[in-house]
């Protein structure tokens, strides 16, 4: 059985979920382990709950989406997180990605422009005992100045360019992963590394994300 109230996927469903991740390039053992531990079904409610273990994005409240599991895995892998890292995620959404990050990093800050999503995600973090995540309502295109700088930054909404304030809040030696491109066109997942002398960019793969919008959201929209 699947779904949020069933205590997680059965063994067969879990095996297929992990197989799909591996076959799409998620090979990092620590990432696979984190994704095996965090039950995606806890982050999806309503009519789509029984599809939680399929490798597809699904609708969540406020007109947003929970990302495809293999994309979550590939982005997490690209961040090369270590156990000492302080991570910022922009775009809490369901909270699923933040929960995976929290299994790998020391501390995770995640922000979303929709207060309702932050409230729901916080309830799940609490239920799962994930005490190293702080979720807040904020416009993440400005980053989170009071907690900066960050070792790693993950943006899970598409910007036209990597936002300047986020680049500024990345530590030297830090890594940021961000989907870049027009909201209605194909976007590219970019990895930015900050070195002593500036930023290096590499293109990872085509992706499709909801847009990074300015300002706070009206709940329900
Ligand atoms: N990481 C999420 C999926 C994110 S969907 C998960 O695991 O479920 C993208 C999210 O980015 C949406 O919830 C949207 O509200 C949020 N978002 C868009 N623009 C934003 C901004 N400027 N600041 C913060 N959040 C933003």
């Amino acid at each position: 059985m699947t779904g949020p109230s069933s205590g997680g996927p059965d063994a067969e469903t879990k095996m297929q979920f992990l197989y799909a991740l591996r076959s799409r390039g998620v090979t990092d053992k620590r990432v696979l382990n984190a994704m095996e531990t965090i039950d995606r079904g806890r982050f999806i409610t309503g009519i789509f709950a029984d599809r939680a273990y399929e490798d597809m994005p699904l609708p969540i409240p406020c007109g947003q989406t929970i990302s495809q599991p293999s994309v979550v895995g590939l982005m997490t892998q690209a961040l090369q997180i270590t156990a000492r890292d302080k991570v910022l995620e922009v775009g809490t959404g369901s909270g699923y990605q933040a929960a995976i990050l929290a299994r790998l990093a020391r501390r995770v800050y995640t922000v979303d422009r929709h207060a309702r999503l932050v409230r729901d995600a916080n309830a799940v973090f609490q239920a799962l005992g994930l005490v190293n995540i702080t979720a807040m309502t904020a416009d993440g295109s400005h980053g989170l100045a009071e907690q900066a700088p960050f070792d790693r930054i993950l943006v899970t909404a598409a910007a036209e360019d990597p936002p300047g304030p986020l680049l500024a809040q990345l530590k030297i030696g830090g890594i940021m992963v961000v989907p870049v491109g027009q909201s209605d066109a194909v976007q590219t997942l970019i990895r930015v590394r900050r070195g002593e002398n500036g930023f290096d960019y590499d293109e990872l793969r085509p992706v499709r994300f909801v847009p990074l919008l300015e300002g706070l959201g009206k709940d329900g929209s």
Side-chain angles (χ1 to χ4, degrees):
M1 295 305 294
T2 59
S5 56
S6 64
D10 61 28
E12 171 76 20
T13 306
K14 195 176 214 176
M15 225 172 64
Q16 280 170 5
F17 180 76
L18 292 169
Y19 178 78
L21 294 177
R22 276 193 222 96
S23 67
R24 294 190 167 117
V26 185
T27 51
D28 185 313
K29 287 215 168 55
R30 296 182 62 233
V31 174
L32 285 166
N33 189 274
M35 294 187 76
E36 185 174 356
T37 337
I38 299 292
D39 178 6
R40 189 172 183 248
R42 299 293 293 259
F43 297 86
I44 303 167
T45 53
I47 54 168
F48 293 104
D50 63 347
R51 310 188 74 169
Y53 310 110
E54 294 176 28
D55 190 29
M56 49 163 56
L58 292 170
I60 58 171
C62 305
Q64 305 304 316
T65 51
I66 178 172
S67 310
Q68 188 176 345
S70 56
V71 173
V72 169
L74 290 168
M75 290 198 301
T76 308
Q77 192 166 281
L79 277 173
Q80 301 171 348
I81 294 173
T82 77
R84 295 184 306 276
D85 286 345
K86 178 163 77 166
V87 182
L88 172 67
E89 181 197 26
V90 175
T92 311
S94 67
Y96 177 61
Q97 171 77 73
I100 307 287
L101 296 173
R103 297 287 304 183
L104 301 167
R106 176 173 58 83
R107 196 89 191 71
V108 176
Y109 293 89
T110 179
V111 298
D112 204 287
R113 57 192 293 280
H114 285 288
R116 171 179 175 187
L117 295 175
V118 169
R119 193 175 62 232
D120 291 355
N122 266 325
V124 183
F125 300 150
Q126 203 168 7
L128 295 179
L130 295 169
V131 294
N132 62 334
I133 311 180
T134 305
M136 284 174 280
T137 307
D139 176 354
S141 56
H142 304 301
L144 192 61
E146 68 264 31
Q147 295 298 340
F150 298 96
D151 301 288
R152 301 288 185 267
I153 298 178
L154 178 60
V155 186
T156 64
E160 279 190 33
D161 294 299
L166 294 181
L167 292 171
Q169 290 176 20
L170 192 61
K171 274 188 199 168
I172 295 188
I175 300 176
M176 172 159 80
V177 171
V178 51
V180 167
Q182 305 283 325
S183 58
D184 53 351
V186 173
Q187 306 146 1
T188 307
L189 195 65
I190 304 278
R191 175 166 50 195
V192 185
R193 290 172 195 273
R194 182 169 199 173
E196 294 282 352
N197 302 314
F199 297 94
D200 280 331
Y201 296 80
D202 62 303
E203 293 190 4
L204 301 179
R205 49 171 275 141
V207 282
R208 190 149 213 177
F209 279 85
V210 300
L212 187 75
L213 299 173
E214 297 268 325
L216 295 186
K218 288 201 189 108
D219 278 6
S221 64

